[in-house]
C-alpha cells in the first residue's frame, strides 16, 4: 500500500501559494547582462561616494554603435543593478556623440525592436527609460525615424490613458512631429487619432 497522499501535503491544500520574497520573477535578464558580465561591453561601472559613472575602456567617439549601442538598447529592459545603470547611461552617452546621426541611421532597424520592447514594458522605470531614449533619438535622426514610427506609437498610445504620463507623452509626440516634418503627423494620427500638432 502506498503512503503518498493523492492530494499532496495538507499544508499545500490549506495554503496553496505563498509569496516568496526572494523570488526573481520580476527581474528581467537579457543577452546584454551576460555579455557585460563577461567583459564584452567596453565600459565598466565606477562606484562613487555620491554618484556612479561609466568608465569607457577607449575613446567613446571610437566605440562602434554596431554592436555596442544595439546591446545597450537591449539592456534597457534589465531590472537589476548594475545592468540598469550601465545600459541606460551607456545609451545616453553614446547618443550624445557629435557624429551620432551618421552612426545611428544605418542601424535604426536594429535598435527599434529593443526600444519598442522597453516602451511596451509594464514596469514604469523601463517605460520611462525607453521614453527618454526616444526623446533623445528623435532630434538626432529627425525624419529618418518616420519609417520606424508605427511600432513605437502603439505602446505610447496604450499609456496615454495614464494620467502620470499624459503630459510627457503629448510633449514627445509633438517633438516627433516637429523633428519628423509634415509627413510625420499622418503617421502619428493613424495610431493616435486625437493627436493635433501645436
Amino acid at each position: 500500500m502506498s503512503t503518498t497522499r493523492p492530494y499532496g501535503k495538507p499544508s499545500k491544500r490549506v495554503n496553496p501559494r505563498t509569496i516568496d520574497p526572494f523570488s526573481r520573477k520580476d527581474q528581467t535578464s537579457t543577452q546584454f547582462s551576460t555579455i557585460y558580465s563577461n567583459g564584452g561591453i567596453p565600459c565598466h561601472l565606477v562606484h562613487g561616494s555620491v554618484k556612479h559613472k561609466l568608465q569607457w575602456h577607449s575613446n567613446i567617439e571610437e566605440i562602434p554603435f554596431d554592436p555596442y549601442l544595439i546591446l545597450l538598447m537591449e539592456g534597457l529592459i534589465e531590472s537589476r543593478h548594475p545592468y540598469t545603470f550601465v545600459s541606460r547611461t551607456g545609451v545616453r552617452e553614446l547618443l550624445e556623440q557629435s557624429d551620432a546621426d551618421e552612426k545611428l541611421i544605418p542601424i535604426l532597424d536594429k535598435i527599434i525592436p529593443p526600444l519598442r520592447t522597453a516602451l511596451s514594458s509594464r514596469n514604469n522605470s523601463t517605460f520611462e527609460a525607453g521614453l527618454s531614449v526616444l526623446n533623445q533619438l528623435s532630434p538626432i535622426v529627425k525624419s529618418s525615424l518616420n519609417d520606424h514610427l508605427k511600432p513605437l506609437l502603439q505602446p505610447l498610445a496604450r499609456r496615454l490613458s495614464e494620467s502620470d504620463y499624459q503630459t510627457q507623452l503629448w510633449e514627445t509626440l509633438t517633438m516627433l512631429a516637429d523633428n519628423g516634418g509634415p509627413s510625420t503627423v499622418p503617421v502619428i494620427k493613424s495610431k493616435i487619432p486625437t493627436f493635433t500638432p501645436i
Side-chain angles (χ1 to χ4, degrees):
M1 184 173 165
S2 173
T3 59
T4 58
R5 293 187 177 99
Y7 302 108
K9 296 179 182 177
S11 60
K12 291 284 183 192
R13 281 182 277 149
V14 173
N15 191 7
R17 283 207 175 138
T18 55
I19 296 172
D20 178 5
F22 304 106
S23 167
R24 291 187 160 196
K25 287 184 181 176
D26 64 331
Q27 295 184 346
T28 308
S29 185
T30 64
Q31 182 182 2
F32 163 77
S33 62
T34 305
I35 292 172
Y36 177 76
S37 296
N38 293 330
I41 307 286
C43 65
H44 66 272
L45 175 65
V46 177
H47 293 276
S49 57
V50 178
K51 275 177 89 174
H52 301 315
K53 67 176 187 172
L54 277 188
Q55 178 68 51
W56 294 90
H57 299 167
S58 60
N59 184 348
I60 193 169
E61 304 250 340
E62 296 168 5
I63 305 283
F65 279 27
D66 188 356
Y68 296 116
L69 179 66
I70 298 166
L71 285 168
L72 289 163
M73 292 286 279
E74 288 175 6
L76 289 175
I77 63 167
E78 285 286 346
S79 56
R80 291 177 296 152
H81 181 75
Y83 309 119
T84 52
F85 180 83
V86 172
S87 62
R88 295 168 190 188
T89 306
V91 167
R92 190 188 74 241
E93 290 183 4
L94 285 177
L95 293 181
E96 288 172 350
Q97 299 312 302
S98 57
D99 60 346
D101 56 339
E102 297 167 17
K103 294 177 180 177
L104 269 173
I105 292 170
I107 63 163
L108 269 178
D109 58 327
K110 294 180 182 178
I111 64 171
I112 295 302
L115 179 55
R116 183 177 192 266
T117 302
L119 290 169
S120 300
S121 174
R122 291 183 179 186
N123 179 303
N124 288 343
S125 174
T126 302
F127 170 73
E128 289 161 11
L131 192 61
S132 174
V133 170
L134 180 59
N135 285 328
Q136 193 178 3
L137 192 63
S138 176
I140 298 171
V141 296
K142 300 191 185 306
S143 61
S144 299
L145 193 57
N146 290 354
D147 294 336
H148 308 280
L149 213 47
K150 280 189 178 180
L152 299 178
L153 291 170
Q154 290 167 342
L156 298 185
R158 274 187 238 119
R159 289 274 190 158
L160 266 173
S161 61
E162 297 177 27
S163 58
D164 293 347
Y165 294 112
Q166 280 181 349
T167 304
Q168 274 181 282
L169 288 171
W170 285 117
E171 287 171 0
T172 298
L173 292 170
T174 302
M175 183 187 60
L176 289 170
D178 290 345
N179 291 323
S183 61
T184 311
V185 176
V187 177
I188 296 174
K189 278 184 156 305
S190 72
K191 296 294 178 188
I192 304 168
T194 56
F195 174 72
T196 305
I198 298 169

